């Protein structure tokens, strides 16, 4: 064991580290088991009875996004693109989270829908509902597969477990706790996961920064790597015609593609995220869910992207030809480099927690959409409530099994983050265009709801296939493609929506109460509840955006 | 960490034993106590490991006694969560919320229970 090279990928875990991981699994399964006693109705199972406080749903909201691809992928991007990766957080997430909380939650929560597709059914018609339910179900199992596969890869790399064993163990644990306790169990575990992940990453960052000689030491060291000075700026070097920033995109692609379409599409219409806010106990808590999530999101890059940059300096040969030293392994390699047994067990637990968070968020959204948006309205209507809870449990099992197969699709992609971004550009970007227009334009017709979505989805698909397989289009990088694919989906969706609306009949205004801007349903009881000033959504949201902008300027 | 907190005023206990049990179960299932308990356990383990780490472990972490510091940090985090959970027990919060809800409903007359559409 003493002959291992400095950059060996296999973690030197011992019994202590495995015990730490084991305790965590026991707690996770215990939460699922206890949550089972609370599940009495389908609303309990799919939306936690709409009873959770904002701090829990807020942390679950951010944790649902802290999957394997986030930790490993953004760590890899930190090593590959440097400081420009911060754009994913301050431009690419926080404004959209604030928009969801301030502008969109009143419609989602106020109309009492149980899922994002269900909103389409009320606002437009059943055909757009069916289309979106099916594409969403497909997207979630594909994404859950990405997380499962990423998990198996890392287990193989770090612990030497065979890929299939890793997939089955992780899938089995997620399956157990979601099948038992439904969304409550998924959300409770996500909050726990949030703290475990952070507890793994903060010490890693502290040790790395200490070793590099603090912030100034690290910037000096990054300047000497292949990233150089350009790797130390978020937006500098993204001018049109003169892109020197390692991210390889112009500021237009970054701000419009990533900051607007991709990010707003992901955060405001991805049900795996919105579901957390819908399970909050009241509208105020629902609004505060993404806003409370925005604050951790502002600082998470300091413990994810920064370790990636430390790894670029510390791990010699990172990103080179050796497959073990791929950028995706930046954070695990750094953990092995610095953390002694004990902390190493916490780090391993944090990684496992992060993978399971990603799988669980998608599986719990999948079972809700399949049960409440496909089975209940169209396949088995008018059954007693208990039938749907049972159906939800079976759908969970089915979803996890399908995810094991989609994990094999994911295994054919070398960069998982880019595969994910492409999925988002196809599934989320058109949905966002339809939502934003439908919420603000009363005249938009049900037919436009369907055809806009279909056209936008096709546009993103054509951009993706034309770039990836047919080589018809060329872009600066795979990431650049996903920015522009998302932009194309948005624009095409919007044009088709307006065109179809011009020739079809809109819904009577009386049927749009609570669904469109200016017609929100006011809850008479809500005004009576006295709230503290720090619970004001506008204040929370404004502060988060201001901090994000300030940080962008500081790191410009 | 007991569910039977004697400091809790008796008014928080509903008359039926069924409700009392539910409140106790809610306290046991309080996420703050679960997080607090797990981090206290991890904190104790890491602090002990960190205090006994040899020079090999310390030099691996660039000279930082990281097990000890992380362990102490986790102890603080765990203690904060447990303190928060004990300071405002979930059972009591639920009972208060129900009382408030009842008062509000009483004031506005018959209140329609929100249901899913359809």
């Amino acid at each position: 064991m003493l002959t291992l090279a400095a950059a060996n990928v296999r973690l030197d875990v011992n019994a202590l580290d495995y015990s730490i991981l084991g305790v965590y699994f026991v707690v996770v399964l215990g939460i699922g088991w206890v949550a089972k006693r609370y599940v009495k109705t389908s609303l309990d199972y799919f939306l936690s009875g709409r009873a959770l406080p904002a701090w829990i749903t807020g942390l679950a909201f951010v944790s649902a996004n802290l999957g394997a691809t986030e930790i490993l992928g953004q760590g890899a991007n930190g090593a590959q693109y440097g400081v420009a990766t911060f754009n994913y957080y301050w431009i690419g997430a926080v404004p959209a989270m604030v928009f969801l909380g301030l502008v969109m939650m009143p419609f989602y929560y106020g109309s009492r829908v149980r899922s994002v597709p269900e909103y389409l059914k009320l606002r437009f018609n059943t055909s757009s509902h069916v289309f979106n339910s099916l594409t969403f179900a497909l997207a979630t199992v594909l994404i859950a597969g990405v997380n499962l596969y990423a998990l198996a890869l890392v287990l193989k790399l770090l612990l030497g477990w065979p890929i299939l064993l890793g997939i089955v163990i992780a899938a089995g644990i997620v399956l157990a706790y979601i099948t038992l306790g439904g969304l409550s169990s998924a959300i409770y575990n996500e909050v726990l996961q949030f703290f475990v992940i952070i507890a793994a990453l903060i010490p890693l960052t502290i040790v790395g920064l200490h070793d590099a000689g603090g912030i100034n030491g690290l910037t000096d060291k990054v300047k000497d790597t292949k990233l150089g000075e350009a790797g130390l700026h978020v937006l500098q070097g993204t001018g049109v015609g003169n892109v020197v920033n390692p991210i390889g995109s112009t500021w237009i692609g970054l701000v419009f593609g990533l900051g607007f379409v991709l990010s707003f599409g992901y955060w405001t219409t991805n049900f795996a995220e919105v579901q957390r806010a819908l399970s909050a106990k009241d509208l105020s808590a629902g609004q505060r869910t993404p806003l409370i999530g925005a604050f951790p999101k502002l600082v998470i890059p300091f413990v994810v992207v920064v370790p990636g940059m430390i790894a670029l300096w510390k791990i010699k040969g990172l990103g080179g030809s050796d497959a073990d030293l791929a950028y995706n392994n930046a954070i695990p390699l750094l953990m092995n480099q610095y953390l002694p047994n004990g902390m190493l067990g916490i780090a391993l637990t944090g990684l496992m927690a992060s993978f399971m968070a990603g799988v669980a968020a998608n599986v719990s959204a999948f079972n809700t959409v399949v049960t409440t948006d496909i089975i209940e309205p169209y396949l088995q209507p008018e059954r007693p409530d208990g039938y749907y809870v049972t159906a939800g449990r079976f759908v969970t099992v089915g979803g996890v099994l399908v995810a094991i197969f989609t994990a094999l699709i994911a295994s054919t992609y070398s960069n998982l983050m880019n595969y994910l971004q492409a999925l988002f550009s196809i599934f989320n970007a058109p949905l966002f265009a339809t939502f934003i227009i439908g919420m603000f334009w009363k005249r938009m017709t049900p037919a436009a709801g369907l055809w806009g979505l279909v056209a936008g989805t096709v546009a993103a698909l054509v951009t993706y296939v034309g770039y990836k397989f047919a080589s018809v289009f060329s872009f600066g990088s795979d990431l650049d493609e996903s920015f522009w694919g998302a932009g194309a989906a948005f624009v095409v969706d919007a044009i088709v929506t307006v065109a179809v609306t011009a020739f079809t009949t809109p819904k009577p205004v009386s049927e749009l109460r609570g669904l469109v801007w200016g017609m929100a349903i006011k809850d008479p009881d809500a005004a009576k509840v006295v709230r503290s000033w720090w619970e004001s959504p506008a204040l929370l949201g404004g502060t988060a955006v201001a901090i994000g902008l300030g940080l962008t300027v500081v790191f410009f | 960490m007991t569910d039977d907190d004697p400091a809790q005023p008796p008014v928080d206990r509903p008359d039926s034993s069924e409700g009392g049990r539910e409140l106790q179960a809610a306290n046991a299932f309080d996420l703050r106590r679960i997080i607090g308990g797990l981090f206290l356990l991890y904190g104790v383990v890491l602090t002990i490991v960190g205090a006994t780490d040899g020079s090999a472990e310390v030099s691996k972490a660039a000279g930082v006694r990281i097990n000890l510091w992380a362990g102490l940090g986790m102890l603080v985090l765990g203690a904060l969560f447990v303190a928060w959970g004990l300071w405002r027990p979930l059972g009591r919060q639920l009972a208060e919320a129900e009382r408030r809800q009842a008062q509000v409903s009483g004031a506005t007359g018959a209140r329609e229970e929100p249901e899913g559409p359809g």
Side-chain angles (χ1 to χ4, degrees):
Chain A
M1 277 298 175
L2 294 169
T3 55
L4 295 178
N8 195 301
V9 197
R10 190 69 52 88
L11 292 184
D12 299 326
V13 279
N14 63 11
L16 171 67
D17 300 318
Y18 274 121
S19 311
I20 287 174
L21 183 62
V23 167
Y24 178 73
F25 282 151
V26 169
V27 173
V28 162
L29 291 174
I31 288 177
W33 187 75
V34 181
K36 184 173 188 291
R37 301 197 309 176
Y38 286 82
V39 176
K40 296 200 178 75
T41 67
S42 63
L43 195 63
D44 290 342
Y45 191 76
F46 296 118
L47 278 185
S48 300
R50 280 196 233 267
L52 297 174
W55 74 270
I56 288 185
T57 54
L59 289 177
F61 186 88
V62 79
S63 191
N65 170 255
L66 267 183
T69 44
E70 177 74 11
I71 304 291
L72 298 188
Q74 300 293 33
N77 284 344
Q80 197 169 354
Y81 306 124
V83 167
T85 311
F86 287 161
N87 284 318
Y88 278 98
Y89 297 83
W90 302 332
I91 290 180
V94 169
M97 295 165 88
V98 170
F99 184 82
L100 172 64
L102 294 186
V103 179
M104 293 179 76
M105 275 318 289
F107 300 110
Y108 279 140
Y109 203 97
S111 61
R112 311 302 296 185
V113 292
R114 290 163 299 175
S115 70
V116 168
E118 193 168 347
Y119 175 85
L120 292 177
K121 182 179 174 185
L122 298 183
R123 173 65 184 81
F124 302 116
N125 52 17
T126 47
S127 50
S128 55
H129 178 228
V130 172
F131 178 78
N132 183 238
S133 302
L134 292 176
T135 53
F136 179 79
L138 178 65
T140 38
V141 288
L142 287 173
I143 296 168
V146 174
N147 278 287
L148 269 185
Y149 173 67
L151 166 66
L153 267 187
V154 168
L155 286 179
K156 179 171 192 282
L157 200 69
L158 302 185
L159 303 176
W161 295 10
I163 288 241
L164 204 61
L165 178 72
I167 290 187
V168 169
I169 288 186
I173 290 172
V174 171
L175 188 63
Y177 76 76
I178 297 187
T179 314
L180 288 171
L183 188 66
S184 297
S185 165
I187 286 185
Y188 267 40
N189 275 313
E190 276 160 9
V191 177
L192 184 63
Q193 280 154 0
F194 173 81
F195 288 102
V196 175
I197 294 166
I198 295 302
L201 291 172
I202 290 178
L204 179 69
T205 312
I206 289 175
V207 172
L209 278 179
H210 179 80
D211 191 29
I215 308 272
N216 291 332
L218 180 63
T219 51
D220 287 343
K221 299 213 157 61
V222 170
K223 274 181 198 159
D224 294 337
T225 66
K226 53 187 160 186
L227 272 182
E229 175 72 25
L232 294 170
H233 301 280
V234 276
L235 287 175
Q236 215 174 79
T238 58
V240 179
N242 180 31
V243 177
V244 292
N245 193 292
I247 203 158
S249 181
T250 62
W251 64 270
I252 303 175
L254 279 172
V255 172
F256 180 71
L258 171 70
F260 184 58
V261 181
L262 261 182
S263 131
F264 275 65
Y266 173 79
W267 290 101
T268 64
T269 66
N270 186 339
F271 183 50
E273 293 295 338
V274 176
Q275 188 177 28
R276 273 77 201 143
L278 287 183
S279 62
K281 62 182 175 182
D282 52 34
L283 174 59
S284 166
Q287 285 197 287
R288 277 181 285 134
T289 295
L291 304 177
I292 289 172
F295 289 93
K297 194 70 185 169
L298 283 170
V299 293
I300 283 171
F302 291 115
V303 294
V304 176
V305 178
V306 170
M309 295 169 65
I310 296 169
L312 178 68
W313 154 68
K314 188 70 182 178
I315 311 291
K316 303 296 172 221
L318 185 73
S321 51
D322 187 345
D324 278 355
L325 299 181
Y327 283 122
N328 274 334
N329 299 339
I331 286 190
L333 283 167
L334 203 65
M335 286 174 166
N336 213 19
Q337 174 79 34
Y338 283 133
L339 300 180
N341 293 116
M343 241 341 277
L344 198 60
I346 299 284
L348 178 64
T349 307
L351 282 180
M352 292 290 279
S354 142
F355 292 113
M356 297 202 305
V359 181
N362 283 292
V363 168
S364 57
F366 175 81
N367 70 20
T368 304
V369 165
V370 171
T371 310
T372 66
D373 289 297
I374 298 174
I375 296 181
E376 188 183 324
Y378 304 115
L379 301 180
Q380 296 284 342
E382 311 288 330
R383 294 289 192 125
D385 194 64
Y387 176 87
Y388 299 113
V389 176
T390 313
R393 294 204 163 108
F394 279 105
V395 170
T396 308
V397 177
V400 170
L401 291 180
V402 176
I404 291 178
F405 287 100
T406 58
L408 301 176
I409 300 178
S411 69
T412 60
Y413 286 81
S414 60
N415 186 328
L416 292 176
M417 193 68 193
N418 292 346
Y419 172 54
L420 263 192
Q421 291 290 342
L423 288 179
F424 291 146
S425 74
I426 295 166
F427 292 109
N428 290 117
L431 191 56
F432 172 59
T434 296
F435 263 90
I436 200 78
I437 300 173
M439 277 183 176
F440 287 96
W441 194 30
K442 283 204 245 339
R443 171 87 178 70
M444 181 176 172
T445 63
L450 173 67
W451 294 112
L453 264 186
V454 173
T457 309
V458 170
L461 206 55
V462 166
T463 315
Y464 179 65
V465 172
Y467 162 75
K468 194 85 187 169
F469 303 106
S471 307
V472 184
F473 312 114
S474 70
F475 296 101
S477 64
D478 287 0
L479 280 182
D480 199 30
E481 184 282 324
S482 63
F483 300 166
W484 289 100
F490 184 87
V491 170
V492 170
D493 183 313
I495 291 173
V496 170
T497 296
V498 172
V500 174
T501 294
F503 297 102
T504 46
T505 346
K507 268 197 163 184
V509 173
S510 59
E511 289 178 22
L512 297 178
R513 227 171 80 78
L515 299 172
V516 293
W517 184 253
M519 297 184 70
I521 297 172
K522 296 267 191 308
D523 182 356
D525 293 347
K528 294 200 177 68
V529 181
V530 182
R531 297 197 177 277
S532 318
W533 61 269
W534 47 268
E535 288 182 321
S536 153
L539 181 74
L540 282 172
T543 310
V545 171
I547 295 176
L549 286 178
L551 286 169
T552 304
V553 171
V554 169
F555 286 82
F556 187 82
Chain B
M1 283 269 280
T2 59
D3 299 321
D4 231 324
D5 188 352
Q8 226 171 294
V11 66
D12 295 321
R13 294 284 162 79
D15 298 332
S16 78
S17 60
E18 163 79 337
R21 258 209 310 278
E22 265 184 22
L23 292 194
Q24 283 182 18
N27 281 339
F29 191 43
D30 188 338
L31 184 56
R32 296 169 297 188
R33 297 188 185 185
I34 299 173
I35 295 174
L38 182 68
F39 275 97
L40 283 181
L41 176 64
Y42 280 168
V44 168
V45 170
L46 282 196
T47 306
I48 293 171
V49 171
T52 56
D53 268 345
S55 58
E57 283 81 7
V58 175
S59 62
K60 183 179 182 189
V64 184
R65 213 169 247 283
I66 195 63
N67 276 336
L68 181 64
W69 290 113
L72 292 174
M74 289 179 194
L75 280 178
V76 172
L77 180 71
L80 284 177
F81 266 104
V82 169
W84 184 20
L86 292 177
W87 173 52
R88 302 192 61 195
L90 187 63
R92 185 158 63 194
Q93 282 182 311
L94 290 179
E96 279 171 6
E98 256 166 42
R99 257 202 311 278
R100 257 203 316 273
Q101 190 69 50
Q103 280 167 5
V104 170
S105 308
T108 51
R111 185 187 131 88
E112 208 181 307
E113 193 54 38
E115 287 288 345

